[in-house]
Amino acid sequence: MTDTAGTGALPVEGVSAARVLDEIRALRAADRPTHGGRLFAYVYDPGVAGLDELAQAAYAESAHVNGLDPTAFPSLLAMENALVGAAARLLGGGPGTSAPDVVGSVTSGGTESLILAVKAARDARPDLAEPRIVVPVSGHAAFAKAAHYLRVALDPVPVDPVTLRPAVADVAAAIRPETVLVVASAPSYAHGVIDPVAEIAAVAAAAGVRCHVDACFGGWALPWLRRLGAPVPPFDFAVPGVTSMSVDLHKYAYAPKGVSVLLHRNPGLRVPQFFAYGDWPGYTMVNPVIASTRSGGPIAAAYATLRHLGEDGYLRLAAVTRDAVAGLADAVGAVDGLRLLAEPESTVVCFTADDPELDLFVLVDELTARGWHTQPQLAYAGLPASVHLTVTAAVAPRVPEFGPALAEAAAAARAAGPVVLPPELLALAGSLTPEALTPDLIAGLAAGLGLGTGPAPDRMAAVNTLLQAAPVRLRERLFVEFVGLLQRPTW
Ligand SMILES: Cc1ncc(COP(=O)(O)O)c(C=O)c1O
């Protein structure tokens, strides 16, 4: 019998539900494990039994509801307002606080929240021909994306190589008459350090400029850690001068992907975030966020997750995570040649290697080979290469295994020795300009590095070493090309 189903997305004859699900499960088998506490980036796993099932059921209830028109689907509006209220309350706003008028919107993720924070700041100053934003280099890359999309100039502020924070004087000096927004992170993704928010917000306020605190990563973790006694500095709406904040519910609120909250201190600040258009024959469009049609699924799933876990659940998960962070940091400290790049202040463990015989990128590969998936970060602007661990509650039971695995991986990395690339290749990477890249050169580079149309190779140390040797603009372009090779239609 001929198989008319093939493997394409649109078979000639539809296939059974059971078979489709089997196919998806088979595809998923090649993915990194989203549960089990061995993946230190991309996923946020509380390790709570039954939570996935609840979120999936809630998602299914609202998957076909459209956030385009809140009057048509009041269920979605109710859940969205409840999420915004919970986020605002957690971050120092709401009744009885110094920020009683906080309002917000639910977006699809941190990047969308940040783009909209920049848009709101830009559109509040239509008088400026060339608006600018001031962002410490440790700020998330999504600010650069926002600047690019919105044609806003980016004024980066360096960070101190030891504290990994910007100097407040440098932030103040970067503010110009055209500055529409100043950014602080709480904490930064790369290193997990909290910027001096109060001081940054003060210099922004003194200049009459908005200040956004990017708490996408830590906004749902720091408040619980503080309640547990951690010395978390002021970073939220309790700080005068903070005009907007973002917190991703698909990170430490442990909701499925697709939910972030963007908050403004008052409704007036939010107005320029919206887009409205009536100059066409269809419905007058009004969009608080970038998407117009949007599924109610992620919002309902986040609502269910928050209500089910509750404050007591999040406190418990934060305590477990805090202890896991301490355990992982100890494990790093116990390996000769490794050192923490920053003392953990939140839920990130970030370490580097001081010993030239211990190649960090080889170490990452050795950890991967042992089932531990960490995130390498390339050296940048005087900061060394590092390894980033996003720590979630599901990591806790794994901590006792991590120390021995790290020690073993480090020994294997030493035995293997650092990556040695042909000097002419390194020289090429260091001198090539993005404009000089030809399709042949890209294909040759990709083939030489084992990158093609399939999944990334198991060992990425050579790729990382080459990328690190390249200037930033070339790195970006190579990534575009390599990912472009992956994104090809299957027929
Ligand atoms: C501090 C910070 N801001 C923004 C983002 C972007 O979030 P998303 O990946 O949801 O767009 C992240 C993601 O890790 C982050 O850590």
Side-chain angles (χ1 to χ4, degrees):
M1 201 175 81
T2 8
D3 178 8
T4 51
T7 53
L10 187 60
V12 176
E13 287 170 25
V15 301
S16 71
R19 174 165 167 186
V20 174
L21 287 175
D22 281 348
E23 289 169 356
I24 291 175
R25 288 187 189 115
L27 287 170
R28 289 273 292 108
D31 292 349
R32 297 204 166 179
T34 53
H35 291 296
R38 284 167 163 267
L39 175 52
F40 293 97
Y42 312 119
V43 300
Y44 297 79
D45 180 12
V48 172
L51 192 62
D52 269 2
E53 291 74 12
L54 169 65
Q56 284 157 16
Y59 194 107
E61 286 292 335
S62 297
H64 291 286
V65 169
N66 193 342
L68 173 65
D69 182 350
T71 62
F73 302 105
S75 67
L76 208 50
L77 184 64
M79 287 188 276
E80 184 164 353
N81 284 341
L83 292 177
V84 170
R89 200 154 53 91
L90 196 60
L91 295 174
T97 71
S98 58
D101 301 323
V102 171
V103 290
S105 306
V106 173
T107 73
S108 64
T111 300
E112 186 179 357
S113 290
L114 300 186
I115 291 174
L116 288 170
V118 174
K119 175 189 157 14
R122 182 197 69 172
D123 289 357
R125 294 292 310 274
D127 54 309
L128 293 174
E130 289 179 353
R132 317 184 68 88
I133 58 174
V134 170
V135 185
V137 293
S138 53
H140 196 273
F143 286 108
K145 181 173 176 175
H148 180 73
Y149 278 19
L150 298 168
R151 288 190 188 275
V152 168
L154 183 68
D155 289 317
V157 178
V159 295
D160 180 285
V162 176
T163 65
L164 304 166
R165 295 176 175 80
V168 178
D170 290 345
V171 174
I175 299 176
R176 306 196 205 173
E178 302 80 26
T179 304
V180 296
L181 187 70
V182 174
V183 167
S185 303
S188 63
Y189 176 78
H191 309 121
V193 304
I194 304 167
D195 284 343
V197 171
E199 292 83 351
I200 290 177
V203 295
V209 175
R210 291 181 184 220
C211 174
H212 182 84
V213 175
D214 178 6
C216 282
F217 185 84
W220 212 272
L222 293 174
W224 312 115
L225 293 173
R226 179 188 279 152
R227 281 190 211 182
L228 291 165
V232 175
F235 72 97
D236 60 16
F237 283 112
V239 175
V242 171
T243 53
S244 57
M245 294 194 72
S246 46
V247 55
D248 293 355
L249 304 187
H250 62 204
K251 294 192 168 80
Y252 284 97
Y254 295 118
K257 307 254 178 280
V259 192
S260 168
V261 177
L262 172 60
L263 301 165
H264 295 273
R265 186 178 282 273
N266 61 54
L269 290 165
R270 183 177 61 170
V271 169
Q273 173 196 313
F274 284 37
F275 177 80
Y277 195 74
D279 213 355
W280 73 307
Y283 56 88
T284 299
M285 192 166 84
V286 52
N287 293 151
V289 297
I290 295 178
S292 197
T293 282
R294 51 188 178 130
S295 167
I299 291 174
Y303 178 78
T305 304
L306 261 63
R307 281 199 59 79
H308 185 61
L309 289 175
E311 295 200 359
D312 58 338
Y314 284 114
L315 265 176
R316 188 175 46 75
L317 292 168
V320 166
T321 309
R322 174 200 57 192
D323 296 347
V325 166
L328 296 176
D330 286 349
V332 169
V335 175
D336 271 352
L338 295 183
R339 86 178 151 83
L340 294 170
L341 199 54
E343 245 352 278
E345 301 176 10
S346 57
T347 53
V348 172
V349 174
C350 181
F351 61 90
T352 187
D354 275 337
D355 178 348
E357 293 310 307
L358 181 51
D359 185 321
L360 220 43
F361 299 144
V362 178
L363 173 66
V364 165
D365 285 348
E366 292 296 338
L367 282 167
T368 308
R370 289 164 177 75
W372 299 90
H373 306 279
T374 61
Q375 194 170 46
Q377 301 183 135
L378 304 181
Y380 169 78
L383 303 177
S386 57
V387 176
H388 167 107
L389 308 180
T390 286
V391 185
T392 58
V395 169
R398 298 283 177 201
V399 171
E401 300 158 42
F402 182 76
L406 184 65
E408 205 183 289
R414 274 181 203 284
V419 168
V420 183
L421 290 180
E424 55 285 3
L425 188 60
L426 280 176
L428 185 68
S431 60
L432 207 64
T433 60
E435 298 72 39
L437 278 178
T438 61
D440 281 352
L441 197 51
I442 292 156
L445 270 175
L449 294 167
L451 301 171
T453 50
D458 292 340
R459 302 217 159 236
M460 292 292 286
V463 178
N464 286 322
T465 305
L466 184 76
L467 289 168
Q468 184 162 265
V472 168
R473 292 287 93 85
L474 182 62
R475 285 181 195 175
E476 294 165 353
R477 181 65 199 286
L478 286 171
F479 267 106
V480 168
E481 297 295 343
F482 293 159
V483 172
L485 290 176
L486 295 174
Q487 293 215 319
R488 294 291 157 95
T490 51
W491 309 108

